[in-house]
Amino acid sequence: MRFTDSAIKRLKPKSVRYEKWEGLGFGVRVAPSGRKTFIFLYRFNGLSRRMSLGVYPGTTLHEARKLHAEAKLTLDKGVDPGSQTLSAKHEERLAPKVRDFVTEYLEKWAKPRKKRWAEDERTLRKDVVPYIGRKKMKDITRRDLSSILDHIIERGSPGQANKTHQVLSKMFSFAVSRSIIEHNPMGGMGKPAPEKSNKRFLNVVEIKHFWNKLDEIPIAEGTALCLKILLLLGQRRGETATLEWKEIDFNSKTWTIPKHKSKNGKAHTVPLPPMAMSFIKRAKELAKESLYVFPGAIPSRPISPDSITSAVAKNQHRFNMEKFTAHNLRHTVTTQLAMAGIDGVHISKVMNHTVPGITAQVYNHHQYDKEKRQALETWERKLKGILFGKVSSKVVNLKI
């Protein structure tokens, strides 16, 4: 019979499966359930074989004829079309989905190479997996990825869009190296947002205003203490938020940031002037039995560095001054140290920056502990003057 749509629709199920043939091995198999499957009957190496061409009407008659013609052409070339189809289906089943490859990327690439691999994980779990996690890696298009980046920008986070762009570029590049995909869909895709240099720092009036507002805005006391410590010591947000009691030496009044937390991979000793020590002791009262100086909602875990950023961002209207971030407190300490006449090398040592030059990096093993303490004590004295002394109104920069 010559197949037509109406002819196929008229094929009624029976108590047993049966087949109808058009010719050249092209047929329709009808199951007792009524399921109708296009099939190709052929011989290969002297053996009779069958292969499915799709289920009707999901696979149309036109599509089935095309698949049949392609299968015959493959057979004419001496290749078993059924085995080729099975191989393709097997590869399709094994092709990883994005959500599964995210785990592989984190375990095989990010964790062994990046101290801040958790930031990659947060980025991928929050902004990528919810949107394309169920799609296979090989099916991801540039359009999929640009839509994700556009969404992040539209919610008002251009900086995060650029970070996500960077992580996606690395993840898909890793997928190419693992033969998961042939081409990186991020290739040639520029950063979605222009880079902005954030050189904002707080002037002396803003410093006093910020400090006083920390006792008024609706944040936990531990969070306020963490922000004050950031302004006192100028260390990085992540290192400060995850500060553990074992890193504090109460006898020498020092905080040693271990190398696995430090950005440059080197242990860093931070002297603790009197004001910093008083806040550390208050934090001890609040932390109780926690291993962390600033525990989060779950005492066995530290406060999230992102929550420190959020505490500032969500209270911008309450601070009532030009927009700033938690990271700008580090800029403030650096600037104030310089304004106090502290040597640039000593400032770099306080901030744990890598000093350029082979002599500084290879041959100079001096730890500058004395100089760092002098620098931070100088800043503490200046900060006390700002907080409890008189400040000239000429430097006011508050929002009206």
Side-chain angles (χ1 to χ4, degrees):
M1 63 177 290
R2 175 69 177 175
F3 289 146
T4 62
D5 278 308
S6 58
I8 295 173
K9 289 176 182 177
R10 285 197 299 270
L11 295 174
K12 303 298 182 183
K14 299 180 181 179
S15 59
V16 294
R17 185 176 66 183
Y18 69 95
E19 295 162 346
K20 290 291 183 178
W21 300 96
E22 182 179 79
L24 299 177
F26 183 49
V28 175
R29 182 173 58 224
V30 184
S33 64
R35 179 185 177 96
K36 299 169 183 177
T37 307
F38 293 109
I39 54 175
F40 175 37
L41 177 64
Y42 63 97
R43 295 186 70 81
F44 185 79
N45 289 339
L47 298 176
S48 178
R49 298 180 182 273
R50 296 167 186 259
M51 67 177 286
S52 171
L53 300 174
V55 177
Y56 182 84
T59 299
T60 66
L61 177 57
H62 175 74
E63 290 169 340
R65 290 190 192 284
K66 184 178 179 181
L67 291 171
H68 172 248
E70 291 172 353
K72 278 188 84 294
L73 183 60
T74 299
L75 184 63
D76 292 342
K77 293 178 180 178
V79 178
D80 183 353
S83 296
Q84 190 178 58
T85 300
L86 286 174
S87 177
K89 288 182 178 179
H90 180 67
E91 289 184 7
E92 176 68 20
R93 283 196 298 270
L94 292 179
K97 294 181 178 180
V98 172
R99 64 188 179 194
D100 299 320
F101 191 74
V102 162
T103 301
E104 184 173 344
Y105 161 76
L106 293 170
E107 295 296 328
K108 304 292 186 181
W109 194 93
K111 287 185 179 181
R113 294 172 174 82
K114 300 182 70 174
K115 284 184 296 184
R116 287 173 169 75
W117 60 267
E119 294 180 6
D120 285 19
E121 181 172 31
R122 280 194 296 271
T123 294
L124 293 168
R125 302 291 187 203
K126 177 183 178 181
D127 290 322
V128 176
V129 171
Y131 300 97
I132 59 172
R134 294 186 178 184
K135 297 187 71 171
K136 294 184 181 295
M137 286 288 291
K138 67 181 185 64
D139 295 331
I140 298 301
T141 65
R142 289 169 66 89
R143 182 62 180 166
D144 292 327
L145 301 175
S146 62
S147 294
I148 287 174
L149 299 175
D150 288 345
H151 174 75
I152 299 173
I153 290 176
E154 287 166 3
R155 75 169 187 234
S157 303
Q160 182 59 36
N162 284 345
K163 289 180 182 178
T164 304
H165 174 280
Q166 184 180 31
V167 174
L168 285 171
S169 295
K170 181 54 65 178
M171 186 180 79
F172 280 96
S173 177
F174 180 61
V176 172
S177 73
R178 307 275 288 188
S179 298
I180 301 298
I181 55 177
E182 293 185 7
H183 305 288
N184 186 344
M186 294 291 295
M189 187 187 297
K191 288 187 176 181
E195 293 285 359
K196 292 184 179 180
S197 177
N198 187 355
K199 297 181 179 180
R200 170 90 164 94
F201 65 92
L202 276 60
N203 63 42
V204 292
V205 169
E206 290 176 319
I207 290 170
K208 183 174 183 177
H209 188 73
F210 164 76
W211 190 278
N212 291 335
K213 281 291 183 180
L214 286 177
D215 296 327
E216 300 175 11
I217 63 176
I219 60 174
E221 184 181 353
T223 301
L225 284 172
C226 186
L227 286 164
K228 288 181 178 180
I229 290 290
L230 285 173
L231 185 56
L232 273 166
L233 304 178
Q235 301 309 300
R236 294 181 175 88
R237 179 197 58 162
E239 298 162 351
T240 305
T242 60
L243 173 58
E244 300 175 60
W245 289 114
K246 65 181 180 181
E247 298 169 16
I248 302 291
D249 186 328
F250 284 89
N251 292 322
S252 64
K253 296 180 175 58
T254 57
W255 161 25
T256 300
I257 301 173
K259 62 182 181 180
H260 70 270
K261 285 188 180 181
S262 170
K263 186 175 182 180
N264 62 11
K266 298 178 182 179
H268 173 50
T269 300
V270 184
L272 298 173
M275 188 183 286
M277 284 300 301
S278 69
F279 288 133
I280 292 292
K281 290 175 181 177
R282 174 54 184 160
K284 184 69 173 175
E285 296 173 0
L286 297 173
K288 297 181 180 179
E289 301 301 319
S290 176
L291 299 177
Y292 296 95
V293 176
F294 305 112
I298 301 175
S300 60
R301 297 179 184 177
I303 189 172
S304 166
D306 287 341
S307 69
I308 299 299
T309 300
S310 179
V312 174
K314 290 181 178 179
N315 288 285
Q316 286 286 330
H317 63 293
R318 294 187 174 95
F319 285 117
N320 191 36
M321 60 192 200
E322 183 183 337
K323 185 177 180 180
F324 68 101
T325 67
H327 184 66
N328 293 143
L329 300 178
R330 183 169 164 86
H331 285 269
T332 300
V333 176
T334 304
T335 303
Q336 291 295 333
L337 287 173
M339 292 173 68
I342 304 299
D343 181 83
V345 171
H346 299 164
I347 294 175
S348 294
K349 291 299 180 179
V350 169
M351 312 310 289
N352 199 22
H353 288 152
T354 299
V355 179
I358 190 170
T359 299
Q361 295 186 44
V362 179
Y363 297 105
N364 187 356
H365 301 290
H366 180 45
Q367 298 301 309
Y368 292 88
D369 290 339
K370 179 181 177 181
E371 292 84 354
K372 288 190 289 186
R373 183 172 293 278
Q374 289 175 343
L376 286 174
E377 287 179 350
T378 297
W379 164 231
E380 183 176 282
R381 286 193 297 272
K382 184 175 181 181
L383 178 59
K384 285 181 177 179
I386 293 171
L387 297 177
F388 310 117
K390 291 184 178 180
V391 178
S392 171
S393 61
K394 292 182 180 179
V395 291
V396 172
N397 191 28
L398 302 185
K399 287 171 58 180
I400 303 300

